[in-house]
Amino acid sequence: QVQLVESGGGSVQAGGSLRLSCVASVYSYSSKCMGWFRQAPGKEREGVAVISTLAGITSYADSVKGRFTISQDNAKNTVYLQMNNLKPEDTAMYYCAAHSKSFIGCVTAAWPYNYWGQGTQVTVSS
């Protein structure tokens, strides 16, 4: 089992920045892929950014490329999401997720991820 705990959400004005953190109880072996997903009211959950914890390879949704950066600190079992130039449409509950399935890589689709955090709210006002 992998437990994920997110922090760092909050309310900012458009153009502002936030950094989300996700601490995993177990790293690497049980969470080869970690990612950030978000869900706004009435919308489906969407992948924002993912990272391979072993290779450090990252992937982003087109809507956040150039504004968001996912990174990791293996020594702290932590994955971060630095969000810059935030827009009102970034408002959502943000979730950290992990999977270790061998037959699929680190994708921004939600279905392979079987470990999820409780979420942290991000609200961007115009």
Side-chain angles (χ1 to χ4, degrees), residues 25-37:
S25 59
V26 180
Y27 215 60
S28 295
Y29 177 74
S30 295
S31 54
K32 72 163 192 175
C33 296
M34 293 191 68
W36 288 96
F37 296 76

Side-chain angles (χ1 to χ4, degrees), residues 19-88:
R19 188 176 81 155
L20 306 182
S21 299
C22 173
V23 179
S25 59
V26 180
Y27 215 60
S28 295
Y29 177 74
S30 295
S31 54
K32 72 163 192 175
C33 296
M34 293 191 68
W36 288 96
F37 296 76
R38 65 187 181 186
Q39 188 167 19
K43 295 188 176 181
E44 293 187 356
R45 188 168 297 189
E46 64 169 339
V48 175
V50 297
I51 186 168
S52 164
T53 59
L54 298 178
I57 298 171
T58 59
S59 182
Y60 297 89
D62 287 343
S63 59
V64 305
K65 283 180 180 177
R67 299 188 299 123
F68 291 10
T69 302
I70 188 170
S71 62
Q72 62 180 345
D73 184 337
N74 288 359
K76 296 181 179 180
N77 289 5
T78 302
V79 170
Y80 303 97
L81 184 68
Q82 178 66 43
M83 306 184 293
N84 297 328
N85 191 21
L86 282 160
K87 303 176 181 180

